[in-house]
Amino acid sequence: VRLPEYRMSGRRGRYIAFDDVLNEAVERAYREVSEKSPHLGEEERRRISNLVGIGAVRYAMIAVASNKPITFTWDRVLNFEQNSAPFIQYAHARASNILVKAGSAGGPGSGRPDYSSLSSRYERDLILRLAVFPDAIQDAARTLRPEVIAEYANNLASKFNLFYDNMPVLKAEGGVRDARLRLVEATKTVLANALALMGIEAPSRM
């Protein structure tokens, strides 16, 4: 593991303790969470920052194949925009928020889902990505490569964000709305399961 932002030397006995890295990850996550969600209370911000910071470090270790070097930089580890635990956790929190908002109006299952309406490329791509989750897990177990799960979760989060940005869910009507809510619900479940397999918590708020 290379940490360019730290000065380490085995010959001189200069090292960085892993606990120190975790503590800094949590503090950096706290600053990010406070900036993005100032409406959250202090206790909630601390709780979320703890699981985001620890999750970020875990993901950084898992996402790289065991026979390759890991270059650990904070810009990558705590990147909320792509390929990181916070990125995947945020997608899960976004899905959770959609379902909470829908709950006040009946939520998934309140009507008859029109699954035939899920015909856009964003919906199809998301459905296909959800469908291969068992294959990804089997592949990771068979080859002893946990990075396969990390890659899958990152890709699923990306597909979900594209779906969310381009297809209205709460503003849709009738069976279309209910079908999209079911798709959001399925995505939330699979993201939570993928994160759990990596030992990372899935927050409902961020």
Side-chain angles (χ1 to χ4, degrees), residues 117-125 163 167 180:
S117 68
L118 302 178
S119 57
S120 73
R121 67 183 180 93
Y122 304 106
E123 292 159 325
R124 290 198 307 270
D125 286 350
F163 160 76
M167 308 302 298
R180 288 176 183 169

Side-chain angles (χ1 to χ4, degrees), residues 1-177:
V1 180
R2 292 183 60 250
L3 293 91
E5 298 176 32
Y6 299 93
R7 294 172 63 97
M8 294 191 292
S9 172
R11 188 174 66 254
R12 298 179 182 179
R14 183 187 298 150
Y15 67 94
I16 300 297
F18 189 62
D19 282 347
D20 293 338
V21 175
L22 282 179
N23 290 337
E24 183 167 352
V26 171
E27 285 304 310
R28 286 174 177 264
Y30 175 78
R31 293 197 291 270
E32 288 286 341
V33 171
S34 297
E35 180 180 337
K36 293 178 180 296
S37 303
H39 60 282
L40 296 177
E42 177 66 16
E43 183 177 346
E44 182 73 355
R45 273 185 280 179
R46 287 292 178 187
R47 185 189 68 80
I48 293 173
S49 300
N50 189 66
L51 61 91
V52 168
I54 293 174
V57 176
R58 279 181 178 270
Y59 184 89
M61 300 292 118
I62 293 170
V64 180
S66 59
N67 62 344
K68 294 182 179 179
I70 298 172
T71 300
F72 190 97
T73 61
W74 291 116
D75 286 346
R76 182 178 65 82
V77 171
L78 285 169
N79 188 337
F80 279 69
E81 304 299 325
Q82 62 178 344
N83 199 18
S84 71
F87 173 67
I88 299 165
Q89 288 172 315
Y90 188 72
H92 178 272
R94 174 176 274 182
S96 299
N97 187 51
I98 293 171
L99 295 173
V100 167
K101 288 182 177 178
S104 61
S110 60
R112 185 174 299 228
D114 178 12
Y115 295 117
S116 66
S117 68
L118 302 178
S119 57
S120 73
R121 67 183 180 93
Y122 304 106
E123 292 159 325
R124 290 198 307 270
D125 286 350
L126 183 55
I127 291 168
L128 290 173
R129 181 50 42 184
L130 289 169
V132 299
F133 182 52
D135 295 331
I137 301 308
Q138 187 176 49
D139 184 30
R142 179 177 53 80
T143 60
L144 301 179
R145 294 173 56 223
E147 68 272 16
V148 171
I149 301 173
E151 182 181 359
Y152 172 86
N154 176 66
N155 190 270
L156 178 60
S158 297
K159 297 292 185 187
F160 175 69
N161 286 335
L162 283 172
F163 160 76
Y164 176 82
D165 290 339
N166 290 277
M167 308 302 298
V169 178
L170 297 176
K171 292 183 178 180
E173 298 180 354
V176 175
R177 179 181 187 272

